[in-house]
Amino acid sequence: MNSNTRVLDPLVLGFWRLLDWQITPQENLRFLKQAIELGIRDTDHADIYGEYQCEAEFGKALALEPSIREHIRIITKCGIKPAFPSLGLAGKANHYDSSKTHIIAQAQQSLKHFGTDRLDVLLIHRPDYLMDADEVADAFNTLKQNGDVLHFGVSNFTPSQLALLQSRLDFALVTNQIEFSPYEMKALDDGTLDQCQQLGMNPMLWSPLAGGRIFSSEDEKAKRLRAVLQQVGEEIGSTEIDQVVYAWLAMHPSKPATVLGTGNITRVASAFTSQSLSMSREQWYRIWTASTGHSVP
């Protein structure tokens, strides 16, 4: 039996929109330092973010003050090969590559982009239908033995896909990064979050605010959620809907790590404050009911 000891912190800074923020490396460094002061150290990346530019851009901030590297953890992903026209790949198919050669090459490239000697966590970004679990395990073992990567995980894997890869490893995968929010709750029913508890694994949650749909969408589900989130927020002492969402997510016993997609330190601080909010089971299920549109059986 595995006890769920936390490997990842409750909140993670997500940098997939780093280029969209249009900030300088100096501004990014200041943002990082402010987040560290709040108590946040995990940062989420991927080789393909910003058409392969975001990792290197983040690395520019780290280069300004190399000691900052010791205060953060770098989580990045590989395995997606998009046919970006900017790379002369127009007409080619987007595809996945979980071969040993590709995984090791991309890990080495990420190390150079970040200007670091190790990645704290490396994830396979999407399940590859051609994944050879033994080959992936071989790549992971090589990177681990070389000290290039400390921990490994997956992203968007089904329970069976994760179980297959885990069966080939003699060390534990540390996370499955999945889409989950009060708007998108399929992981509650498809076995994904059950498996995380079973393995003592902290899932990482991307799109916790459903890409903003919880705030702005006019579909019936979103309108029900907004009303109930505001109601519950008033009951637990929060005026911010996103804080209520983060508190709702944190209640799951898998001890998830929620990826924040903002470069605004005020919003990060607001999310951090949500950790002090206390929500009852009835309130949690009231939000679940608003999302599904029906009561539990």
Side-chain angles (χ1 to χ4, degrees):
M1 181 181 298
N2 291 314
S3 60
N4 195 332
T5 55
R6 181 174 289 283
V7 174
L8 301 174
D9 291 339
L11 296 174
V12 180
L13 300 175
F15 286 89
W16 74 279
R17 287 179 174 157
L18 177 56
L19 298 187
D20 296 339
W21 299 343
Q22 297 184 324
I23 60 176
T24 65
Q26 290 80 6
E27 291 168 330
N28 192 12
L29 177 63
R30 183 166 62 251
F31 172 66
L32 270 175
K33 293 171 80 170
Q34 290 171 324
I36 291 167
E37 288 174 3
L38 286 171
I40 299 174
R41 57 178 173 166
D42 290 336
T43 65
D44 179 67
H45 312 265
D47 57 356
I48 63 165
Y49 288 167
E51 298 193 8
Y52 295 102
Q53 297 181 67
C54 283
E55 286 187 338
E57 190 65 23
F58 187 86
K60 293 177 184 177
L62 295 183
L64 294 173
E65 194 169 323
S67 62
I68 287 294
R69 175 64 182 96
E70 303 309 314
H71 298 280
I72 65 168
R73 294 192 294 200
I74 294 176
I75 303 162
T76 196
K77 302 179 281 292
C78 70
I80 302 179
K81 298 186 74 172
F84 289 133
S86 62
L87 300 179
L89 298 173
K92 301 294 184 181
N94 294 335
H95 60 287
Y96 303 134
D97 189 344
S98 60
S99 66
K100 178 181 179 180
T101 299
H102 182 72
I103 292 170
I104 291 177
Q106 291 307 107
Q108 295 293 339
Q109 187 75 296
S110 292
L111 289 169
K112 292 177 184 177
H113 284 161
F114 292 120
T116 187
D117 62 349
R118 83 280 183 194
L119 303 174
D120 295 283
V121 186
L122 178 66
L123 313 180
I124 301 299
H125 204 158
R126 290 274 177 179
D128 176 8
Y129 296 115
L130 300 177
M131 181 183 79
D132 182 327
D134 291 310
E135 189 172 355
V136 175
D138 195 13
F140 283 5
N141 283 321
T142 299
L143 291 167
K144 190 175 183 68
Q145 289 163 7
N146 292 343
D148 294 328
V149 181
L150 304 184
H151 303 283
F152 299 86
V154 296
S155 181
N156 304 297
F157 271 46
T158 66
S160 63
Q161 290 163 341
L162 190 152
L164 168 60
L165 181 54
Q166 184 63 77
S167 73
R168 300 303 200 269
L169 297 166
D170 59 8
F171 55 83
L173 296 169
V174 299
T175 194
N176 187 3
Q177 185 174 135
I178 59 170
E179 181 179 9
F180 187 64
S181 70
Y183 193 96
E184 175 50 75
M185 303 190 301
K186 65 181 180 182
L188 287 173
D189 297 307
D190 66 7
T192 300
L193 290 175
D194 296 334
Q195 183 183 52
C196 288
Q197 279 202 80
Q198 178 186 19
L199 299 178
M201 172 187 294
N202 305 128
M204 293 179 70
L205 311 181
W206 62 267
S207 199
L209 302 175
R213 292 195 299 277
I214 288 175
F215 295 106
S216 58
S217 178
E218 289 304 311
D219 66 79
E220 289 305 312
K221 179 195 286 190
K223 288 193 281 190
R224 290 195 307 266
L225 273 171
R226 276 197 296 275
V228 173
L229 288 167
Q230 288 168 350
Q231 180 186 71
V232 172
E234 292 171 0
E235 294 170 3
I236 65 177
S238 172
T239 58
E240 303 289 341
I241 286 179
D242 59 340
Q243 287 186 337
V244 182
V245 169
Y246 298 139
W248 184 87
L249 295 170
M251 275 193 71
H252 196 273
S254 61
K255 300 180 182 177
T258 298
V259 181
L260 308 176
T262 180
N264 183 325
I265 195 62
T266 301
R267 301 311 305 167
V268 173
S270 175
F272 191 81
T273 301
S274 71
Q275 295 178 92
S276 64
L277 297 174
S278 179
M279 184 180 297
S280 71
R281 285 174 178 256
E282 184 278 330
Q283 289 165 329
W284 191 95
Y285 273 101
R286 205 187 314 162
I287 293 168
W288 181 94
T289 300
S291 178
T292 61
H294 60 77
S295 177
V296 295

